[in-house]
Amino acid sequence: MRALSLNFEREVPSARLGYALLAVGAVVMVLVIVAQALISQEMERHALAARPAQAKREAWVLPRGLTSEADAIAGARVVVGHLAGPGERVFVTLEAIDEPDVALLALTPDTRNRTLRILAEARGVEAMLSYLRVLEQSRAFTQVVLVEHEIQDSDPQRPLRFSLVAAWSP
């Protein structure tokens, strides 16, 4: 008769695989840390090399006719003011107009000519003319001109689509 061998603490075969994966992970982690250190050293080297070029860019020359940096800043503010388009006053005026029969569809500012093209729909001619009168009477606009109008026959309510150009005051 053969001897009976009872082993209650059997080695699990998957434990070897786990230890092998742990070792591989540790090696990969060390490689990543070394690569990151090399990359950061190279970035520092490039930053040191770029400092003289950056210092040259920061030393800017004033445009002709200007004697101080304050004059240059004031001139830049004037240019930005012209490019900014219609001010808040124009939009507050448009929002304050209480005309329930008129719906604004599009606003297209033209900063060069200081005009605003407005595309809108009205329920009828009276609502459109009333809206034009309100815009003309506002202080935000100096001139309001009706460019075109057309009844939308394809819509069952037949709204009047119109376009106008309003010049805003500086």
Side-chain angles (χ1 to χ4, degrees):
M1 186 151 127
R2 263 187 333 168
L4 184 63
S5 171
L6 296 175
N7 185 4
F8 293 109
E9 294 184 25
R10 207 171 64 178
E11 186 177 324
V12 181
S14 63
R16 290 183 192 152
L17 177 63
Y19 290 130
L21 288 176
L22 177 66
V24 169
V27 169
V28 169
M29 185 177 69
V30 168
L31 291 175
V32 168
I33 290 172
V34 169
Q36 192 273 335
L38 292 174
I39 290 172
S40 66
Q41 287 176 355
E42 190 169 335
M43 286 177 59
E44 287 178 15
R45 196 167 16 106
H46 283 297
L48 290 174
R51 281 193 184 143
Q54 188 177 15
K56 288 178 186 176
R57 270 188 264 135
E58 289 175 358
W60 58 290
V61 179
L62 290 173
R64 285 187 214 150
L66 296 178
T67 58
S68 72
E69 190 174 319
D71 292 338
I73 292 172
R77 285 189 177 139
V78 169
V79 170
V80 168
H82 286 292
L83 295 177
E88 185 178 343
R89 179 176 52 148
V90 170
F91 293 111
V92 168
T93 301
L94 290 173
E95 289 175 352
I97 296 175
D98 184 29
E99 192 65 46
D101 293 334
V102 175
L104 297 181
L105 302 177
L107 301 173
T108 310
D110 180 5
T111 56
R112 179 173 289 150
N113 297 325
R114 299 183 77 71
T115 59
L116 180 67
R117 185 176 184 94
I118 300 173
L119 179 65
E121 278 187 358
R123 289 194 179 159
V125 176
E126 298 81 21
M128 177 188 70
L129 293 175
S130 171
Y131 188 75
L132 288 171
R133 274 188 234 109
V134 171
L135 283 179
E136 287 173 344
Q137 293 170 358
S138 71
R139 292 184 180 180
F141 299 108
T142 57
Q143 183 181 12
V144 178
V145 177
L146 179 64
V147 177
E148 62 182 333
H149 64 284
E150 175 185 8
I151 295 176
Q152 299 294 313
D153 290 326
S154 61
D155 192 334
Q157 294 179 353
R158 296 178 41 103
L160 178 67
R161 183 171 290 182
F162 63 97
S163 176
L164 63 96
V165 174
W168 70 79
S169 56

